[in-house]
């Protein structure tokens, strides 16, 4: 079994370490030559996973044809903003027998498409799955117990992922609700920004718990409005991931919101944006546009958008929680 992972960031590397427990034929792809050289030389990505050593049997390449050739499973672990370009290239090398696992969370800005929909623009296959859940890369790399939702309509793809990703520290719970799983994985990053804002406003755990509970109801309604199964909100991808990202300073989205809530200088906030991948910020623009296009009313998204982009007072979150119907 050959596994190919597109993306050599923290999450891609941590997944490689998990797959490495069950198969030793793993190739990772990056389009950045300097990153490739660094990984081959150091066997460590000190910028994103310092101290985590990468086994010698995991190989690296910047050649997609080479990475994908002969692979049984291709894992997508790149930022959402780059998926369109990567899928456009991948379509030239992938075969009908190969399986795809999407580990990327988010919504494309211009089209408001979820990642699975972006993939379908270029590659027509039923052999596709989504993995999503409460799982910081460093925690996966540390090999502590982790639970992920595995969403797929393909029994063969499900079987492959259960055999080669699931192990004594990683549990997969399956569903066929791809839509709901992608919504949960995307919007939780946006909600985490608001949770960070509340923390920056010195709101206690009681208020945070209130906010997370209200958000669960909103996400459930959003899932149903977009054609998913509302029960997915209770999965690892739903409540599990929301709880993690809304309560931990490891979350880049939470830390971004924290800066907003603390009313840090614009320069400091912009420096954080420039030097950090904040998926929730990217997704916020997309989900706000998508909801307006679909005429779906989720007021908390509008409020977060207005706080971030229209300079609405962050304290309005407190008022919103009480006045929300």
């Amino acid at each position: 079994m050959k596994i190919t992972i597109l993306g050599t960031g923290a999450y891609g590397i941590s997944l490689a370490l998990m797959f490495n427990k069950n198969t030793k034929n793993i190739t990772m792809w990056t389009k950045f030559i300097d990153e490739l050289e660094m990984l081959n030389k150091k066997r460590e990505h000190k910028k994103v996973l310092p101290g985590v050593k990468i086994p010698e049997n995991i190989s690296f390449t910047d050649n997609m044809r080479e990475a994908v050739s002969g692979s049984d499973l291709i894992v997508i672990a790149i930022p959402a903003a780059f998926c369109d370009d990567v899928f456009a290239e991948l379509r030239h090398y992938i075969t009908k027998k190969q399986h795809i696992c999407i580990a990327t969370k988010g919504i494309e800005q211009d089209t408001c498409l979820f990642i699975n929909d972006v993939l379908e623009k270029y590659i027509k296959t039923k052999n596709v799955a989504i993995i999503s859940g409460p799982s910081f890369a460093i925690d996966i790399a540390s090999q502590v117990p982790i639970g992920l939702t595995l969403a797929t309509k393909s029994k063969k793809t499900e079987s492959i992922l259960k055999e080669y990703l699931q192990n004594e520290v990683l549990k997969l719970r399956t569903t066929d609700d791809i839509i709901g799983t992608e919504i949960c994985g995307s919007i939780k990053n946006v909600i985490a920004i608001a949770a960070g804002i509340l923390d920056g406003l010195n709101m206690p755990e009681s208020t945070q718990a209130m906010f997370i509970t209200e958000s669960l109801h909103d996400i459930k309604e959003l899932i149903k409005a977009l054609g998913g199964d509302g029960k997915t909100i209770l999965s690892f991808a739903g409540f599990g991931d929301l709880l993690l990202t809304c309560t931990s300073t490891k979350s880049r989205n939470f830390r971004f919101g924290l800066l907003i809530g603390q009313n840090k200088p614009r320069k400091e906030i912009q420096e954080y944006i420039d030097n950090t991948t904040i998926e929730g910020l990217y997704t916020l623009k997309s989900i706000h546009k998508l909801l307006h296009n679909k005429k779906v009313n989720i007021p908390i998204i509008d409020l977060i958008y207005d706080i971030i982009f229209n300079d609405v007072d962050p304290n309005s979150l407190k008022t919103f929680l009480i006045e929300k119907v």
Side-chain angles (χ1 to χ4, degrees):
M1 170 67 68
K2 178 184 176 182
I3 308 290
T4 296
I5 299 177
L6 303 185
T8 52
Y11 207 70
I13 292 171
S14 67
L15 287 175
L17 297 176
M18 284 293 101
F19 280 113
N20 196 55
K21 287 176 168 289
N22 295 323
T23 179
K24 301 303 179 184
N25 190 1
I26 300 170
T27 299
M28 300 192 72
W29 171 89
T30 174
K31 72 172 185 177
F32 304 109
I33 185 64
D34 55 338
E35 189 171 54
L36 174 66
E37 293 173 349
M38 177 267 295
L39 289 167
N40 277 322
K41 182 179 180 180
K42 303 291 186 181
R43 307 302 302 182
E44 177 184 358
H45 201 314
K46 291 187 177 181
K47 182 179 179 181
V48 298
L49 279 180
V52 176
K53 292 299 182 181
I54 302 170
E56 292 290 337
N57 64 281
I58 296 176
S59 63
F60 300 97
T61 182
D62 62 349
N63 185 312
M64 187 175 290
R65 181 195 294 273
E66 176 185 309
V68 171
S69 178
S71 182
D72 300 280
L73 177 67
I74 300 164
V75 181
I76 311 301
I78 56 176
F82 303 117
C83 282
D84 192 272
D85 289 341
V86 170
F87 293 158
E89 182 177 359
L90 177 61
R91 65 176 170 176
H92 297 298
Y93 309 122
I94 194 169
T95 68
K96 292 182 179 180
K97 293 183 179 181
Q98 291 173 306
H99 297 258
I100 298 174
C101 173
I102 298 174
T104 299
K105 302 170 183 176
I107 308 173
E108 194 174 57
Q109 280 193 359
D110 293 338
T111 64
C112 297
L113 294 175
F114 289 95
I115 305 304
N116 182 54
D117 298 318
V118 179
L119 177 71
E120 286 186 352
K121 284 173 32 183
Y122 299 102
I123 300 168
K124 307 298 182 184
T125 178
K126 296 186 182 298
N127 299 329
V128 61
I130 312 292
I131 55 171
S132 186
S135 52
F136 290 136
I138 186 59
D139 295 337
I140 297 177
S142 299
Q143 301 190 13
V144 299
I146 296 289
L148 297 177
T149 295
L150 166 61
T152 182
K153 297 183 184 300
S154 166
K155 291 298 182 181
K156 179 61 176 176
T157 306
E158 176 186 321
S159 176
I160 288 173
L161 281 160
K162 281 187 171 181
E163 182 175 357
Y164 290 97
L165 181 57
Q166 192 167 246
N167 54 53
E168 74 276 9
V169 294
L170 196 151
K171 174 189 287 186
L172 296 173
R173 288 199 180 277
T174 58
T175 176
D176 63 358
D177 184 19
I178 290 176
I179 294 172
T181 301
E182 283 213 280
I183 290 170
C184 288
S186 301
I187 200 170
K188 59 94 181 183
N189 287 324
V190 175
I191 301 300
I193 293 175
I197 292 173
L198 287 172
D199 197 62
L201 294 171
N202 294 315
M203 291 297 99
E205 289 88 345
S206 298
T207 304
Q208 289 283 19
M210 176 189 185
F211 171 67
I212 291 171
T213 303
E214 291 283 17
S215 297
L216 282 170
H217 290 292
D218 287 342
I219 297 171
K220 180 180 179 180
E221 292 308 310
L222 175 59
I223 292 171
K224 292 193 294 185
L226 296 181
D229 183 351
K231 294 179 182 178
T232 300
I233 192 59
L234 298 178
S235 68
F236 288 137
F239 176 69
D241 214 357
L242 188 69
L243 180 64
L244 178 69
T245 52
C246 286
T247 59
S248 175
T249 54
K250 287 182 184 178
S251 166
R252 293 167 295 191
N253 301 286
F254 183 93
R255 293 202 304 271
F256 171 66
L258 185 65
L259 295 175
I260 301 294
Q262 291 173 335
N263 197 29
K264 293 294 185 180
R266 284 184 175 274
K267 182 179 180 181
E268 182 177 342
I269 294 173
Q270 190 59 50
E271 285 178 356
Y272 185 77
I273 293 172
D274 293 340
N275 294 292
T276 310
T277 301
I278 310 170
E279 288 285 10
L281 187 60
Y282 177 87
T283 303
L284 176 56
K285 296 178 182 178
S286 308
I287 194 71
H288 184 262
K289 181 179 177 182
L290 174 64
L291 293 178
H292 280 262
N293 289 346
K294 297 283 188 178
K295 294 182 171 53
V296 176
N297 184 34
I298 307 291
I300 185 61
I301 298 300
D302 289 333
L303 179 56
I304 299 170
Y305 185 92
D306 285 339
I307 291 172
I308 301 302
F309 296 113
N310 295 328
D311 295 322
V312 167
D313 185 356
N315 281 287
S316 58
L317 263 175
K318 295 184 291 184
T319 306
F320 174 83
L321 287 174
I322 295 299
E323 295 181 348
K324 183 177 183 293
V325 177

